[in-house]
C-alpha cells in the first residue's frame, strides 16, 4: 500500500482546485457510484486516416452521479488513484472493455483493437498481470486485440520494473502505447530502450500543428521521432479535416477525434461500426 501511495501521489495536485473536504465528499460519492453501477465505459473509434475506416476504439470511463450529472474523469481518476480505488475500478474497465471487444469480434470486425487506459498505481500493482490475463481469458479474447495506454511519465520512472512489466505484457500478446506523447520529458535513449508499439501524440500538438509553422515543425519532429524508433504513431484530438490532412502529410496514419466520432456507449459503437463504415 505504501508503494501504491507513493506511486500515485504525483497525480494528485492542488491544481484540481478542490479542498480536502470536497475531495472526501467526491471520493465517497465515487465509491458509492462504483458500487451502485453508475460507472460505465464509452468508446471512441480510432481511424485509419487515409481510408477512413475504423481500426478500433479507446475505452473511456464515465461516472454519472445520482442526480444525472457527469463528473469528468480528469477530476475523479486522480482521486481514485490516490485512494487505491483505481485498482478495482481499473479492473472493471479492463473487464468491460475486453467483453466489448469480444462482441466487436463476434460482429465481424476482425482485428478490432481495443485500447485501454492504465493508471500508474494499477500498472505497478503486484496483481496486474494476473488481472490482465484473467480479463482476457474470461472474455475469451486474445492479447493481440488489446492495447494498453500508459503515459509517458509512467514509462519513465523505475526503469527496471517498467521493463519487466512491458516484457510480461508483450508475452501475453497485448501491445502498449505511450499516451500523451511529447508532453513529458523522456530522454531519447530511454525511449529507445522501452519495448512499446505505438506513440500517441497529445492533442496539444495536433492543435498547434495547424496554428503556427513552429507548431507544425514540432509535430513533424514528434512524428519523425516515433517513426525513427520503428513505432506507429497515432494522433488524438483531431477535430478538423485540415488536421487530418496535415497529419497524413506529416506521416501519421492513425488517429481519433471529434471529426470522426465522439466517445459513445457500447450499443452505439456497435451500430456505428456496422452502418458508418465506408
Ligand atoms: P486521454 O487518455 O488522453 O483521453 C483522451 C481524451 O480526449 C478523452 O477525454 C476524450 O474524450 C477526449 N477527446 C477525444 N477526441 C477529442 C477531440 O477531438 N477534441 C477534444 N478536445 N477532446 C477529445 P475524457 O474521456 O474526458 O478523459 C480524460 C482523461 O481521463 C483521459 O485522457 C485519461 O487520462 C483519463 N481516463 C479516462 N478513462 C480512463 C480509464 O478508464 N482509466 C484511466 N486510468 N484513465 C482514464
Ligand atoms: Ca488515452
Ligand atoms: Ca492522451
Ligand atoms: Ca491525458
Amino acid at each position: 500500500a505504501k508503494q501504491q501511495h507513493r506511486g500515485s501521489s504525483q497525480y494528485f495536485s492542488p491544481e484540481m482546485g478542490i479542498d480536502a473536504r470536497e475531495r472526501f465528499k467526491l471520493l465517497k460519492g465515487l465509491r458509492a457510484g462504483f458500487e451502485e453501477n453508475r460507472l460505465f465505459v464509452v468508446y471512441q473509434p480510432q481511424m485509419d486516416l487515409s481510408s477512413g475506416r475504423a481500426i478500433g476504439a479507446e475505452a473511456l470511463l464515465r461516472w454519472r452521479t445520482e442526480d444525472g450529472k457527469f463528473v469528468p474523469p480528469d477530476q475523479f481518476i486522480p482521486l481514485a488513484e490516490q485512494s487505491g480505488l483505481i485498482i478495482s475500478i481499473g479492473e472493471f474497465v479492463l473487464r468491460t472493455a475486453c467483453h466489448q471487444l469480444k462482441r466487436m469480434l463476434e460482429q465481424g470486425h476482425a482485428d478490432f483493437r481495443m485500447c485501454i487506459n492504465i493508471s500508474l498505481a494499477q500498472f505497478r500493482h503486484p496483481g496486474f498481470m494476473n488481472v490482465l490475463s484473467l480479463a482476457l481469458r474470461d472474455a475469451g479474447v486474445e492479447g493481440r486485440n488489446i492495447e494498453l495506454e500508459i503515459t509517458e511519465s509512467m514509462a519513465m520512472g523505475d526503469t527496471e520494473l517498467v521493463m519487466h512489466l512491458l516484457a510480461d505484457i508483450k508475452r501475453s500478446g497485448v501491445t502498449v502505447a505511450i499516451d500523451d506523447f511529447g508532453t513529458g520529458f523522456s530522454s531519447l535513449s530511454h525511449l529507445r530502450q522501452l519495448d512499446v508499439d505505438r506513440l500517441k501524440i497529445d492533442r496539444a500538438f495536433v492543435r498547434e500543428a495547424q496554428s503556427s509553422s513552429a507548431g507544425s515543425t514540432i509535430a513533424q519532429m514528434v512524428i519523425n521521432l516515433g517513426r525513427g524508433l520503428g513505432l506507429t504513431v497515432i494522433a488524438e484530438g483531431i477535430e478538423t479535416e485540415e488536421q487530418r490532412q496535415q497529419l497524413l502529410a506529416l506521416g501519421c496514419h492513425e488517429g481519433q477525434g471529434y471529426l470522426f466520432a465522439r466517445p459513445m456507449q457500447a450499443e452505439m459503437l456497435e451500430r456505428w461500426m456496422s452502418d458508418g463504415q465506408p
Side-chain angles (χ1 to χ4, degrees):
K2 195 169 143 222
Q3 188 197 8
Q4 232 178 70
H5 183 81
R6 181 165 42 108
S8 43
S9 59
Q10 71 186 92
Y11 277 83
F12 189 74
S13 67
E15 287 158 28
M16 285 179 66
I18 53 175
D19 67 25
R21 197 157 8 98
E22 273 179 275
R23 234 153 51 212
F24 182 75
K25 247 179 69 185
L26 200 61
L27 179 58
K28 223 177 108 185
L30 180 61
R31 274 216 173 87
F34 182 46
E35 272 156 30
E36 290 154 21
N37 302 317
R38 284 194 289 270
L39 265 59
F40 61 98
V41 180
V42 291
Y43 304 89
Q44 184 178 38
Q46 294 186 337
M47 318 296 294
D48 176 312
L49 294 182
S50 30
S51 69
R53 289 190 62 83
I55 46 185
E58 177 179 10
L60 293 158
L61 189 58
R62 293 291 177 264
W63 171 23
R64 193 194 291 111
T65 60
E66 233 168 339
D67 49 8
K69 291 197 196 105
F70 286 94
V71 183
D74 286 334
Q75 264 176 44
F76 71 80
I77 283 172
L79 274 182
E81 286 173 337
Q82 200 205 20
S83 63
L85 190 58
I86 195 68
I87 301 300
S88 22
I89 292 182
E91 179 170 354
F92 160 74
V93 174
L94 204 56
R95 286 185 168 274
T96 307
C98 284
H99 173 79
Q100 190 58 38
L101 166 64
K102 178 70 174 178
R103 288 187 57 94
M104 303 318 289
L105 296 172
E106 279 170 355
Q107 288 171 26
H109 310 295
D111 299 325
F112 193 92
R113 179 172 80 214
M114 185 61 84
C115 302
I116 305 168
N117 293 286
I118 303 294
S119 283
L120 178 65
Q122 198 186 351
F123 190 57
R124 296 192 149 205
H125 194 77
F128 179 67
M129 266 322 290
N130 204 29
V131 166
L132 177 61
S133 318
L134 286 176
L136 294 174
R137 196 197 66 187
D138 292 350
V141 294
E142 285 178 58
R144 65 183 186 88
N145 293 103
I146 301 279
E147 185 156 283
L148 302 181
E149 296 192 2
I150 65 174
T151 60
E152 191 175 352
S153 52
M154 274 165 70
M156 292 308 127
D158 201 341
T159 318
E160 281 272 298
L161 177 68
V162 171
M163 302 264 237
H164 274 109
L165 277 166
L166 290 177
D168 284 348
I169 291 171
K170 189 171 194 145
R171 263 193 297 278
S172 72
V174 169
T175 58
V176 174
I178 304 277
D179 205 353
D180 300 339
F181 184 72
T183 59
F185 299 93
S186 6
S187 78
L188 293 187
S189 57
H190 185 98
L191 192 63
R192 198 167 53 85
Q193 287 174 354
L194 287 179
D195 201 356
V196 299
D197 304 274
R198 210 177 311 278
L199 293 182
K200 195 164 189 185
I201 303 182
D202 194 73
R203 74 164 168 273
F205 295 105
V206 174
R207 208 175 38 224
E208 284 300 307
Q210 216 190 351
S211 58
S212 71
S213 81
S216 120
T217 305
I218 294 170
Q220 176 74 80
M221 285 176 64
V222 176
I223 292 167
N224 286 348
L225 173 60
R227 297 175 76 202
L229 292 168
L231 306 173
T232 345
V233 177
I234 181 165
E236 67 179 10
I238 304 175
E239 294 180 352
T240 67
E241 174 56 24
E242 292 70 43
Q243 288 171 339
R244 183 187 74 86
Q245 284 176 17
Q246 189 178 19
L247 285 160
L248 271 173
L250 294 176
C252 171
H253 299 277
E254 294 182 358
Q256 68 189 87
Y258 298 163
L259 174 65
F260 310 105
R262 298 204 168 229
M264 55 185 109
Q265 303 224 34
E267 314 78 69
M268 265 282 274
L269 175 74
E270 292 176 18
R271 245 178 296 142
W272 190 89
M273 283 294 297
S274 41
D275 315 336
Q277 291 299 295

